[in-house]
């Protein structure tokens, strides 16, 4: 599917403004840039069929912000999932090792 030229030009014009807003709000240029690109793809697919919203800049900022927040939450949840079992295992192994050391120490006395 091709995007009409008017929508394409509008997206090119709005992209830097949306990116600047997200970077000011959230920091992290790379993540913000990815979120804006995803919002632009959504706009390029939806706007030709459903029409351009009354406030296209606001629409792009909202969609990009939601994508960014979703990604941040997802990354944080993944980090907690990945860290928790390793931390628990190492803690358990450490405490088992300490118990073994105590048992050996009492048996050798």
């Amino acid at each position: 599917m091709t995007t009409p030229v008017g929508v394409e030009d509008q997206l090119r014009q709005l992209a830097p403004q949306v990116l600047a807003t997200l970077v000011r709000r959230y920091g992290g240029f790379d993540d913000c840039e990815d979120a804006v690109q995803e919002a632009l793809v959504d706009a390029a697919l939806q706007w030709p069929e459903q029409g351009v919203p009354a406030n296209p800049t606001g629409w792009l900022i909202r969609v990009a912000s939601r994508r960014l927040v979703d990604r941040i939450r997802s990354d944080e949840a993944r980090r907690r999932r990945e860290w928790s079992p390793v931390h628990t295992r190492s803690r358990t192994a450490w405490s088992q090792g300490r118990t073994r050391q105590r048992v050996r120490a009492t048996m050798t006395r």
Side-chain angles (χ1 to χ4, degrees):
M1 179 173 109
T2 60
T3 306
V5 176
V7 171
E8 202 172 291
D9 290 340
Q10 190 173 19
L11 292 174
R12 279 195 189 110
Q13 184 181 13
L14 295 174
Q17 297 169 5
V18 174
L19 179 59
T21 301
L22 259 66
V23 170
R24 270 194 310 270
R25 217 179 260 181
Y26 300 105
F29 182 84
D30 294 339
D31 290 335
C32 290
E33 186 178 34
D34 291 343
V36 169
Q37 288 176 358
E38 291 174 15
L40 292 171
V41 169
D42 287 347
L45 295 173
Q46 291 179 21
W47 292 5
E49 294 174 5
Q50 299 173 4
V52 177
N55 182 2
T57 307
W59 189 95
L60 287 169
I61 290 170
R62 176 176 289 152
V63 171
S65 294
R66 288 179 178 170
R67 292 289 178 110
L68 181 60
V69 169
D70 287 347
R71 178 177 294 137
I72 291 168
R73 286 179 181 160
S74 175
D75 289 348
E76 183 61 31
R78 187 185 72 247
R79 270 190 230 112
R80 280 195 306 265
R81 273 192 319 271
E82 291 173 353
W83 185 78
S84 183
V86 171
H87 182 260
T88 303
R89 266 190 254 126
S90 64
R91 215 170 169 197
T92 304
W94 180 81
S95 64
Q96 287 173 351
R98 296 289 293 169
T99 304
R100 287 185 195 128
Q101 288 175 353
R102 281 190 221 130
V103 169
R104 284 187 200 125
T106 56
M107 292 176 73
T108 56
R109 287 185 190 170

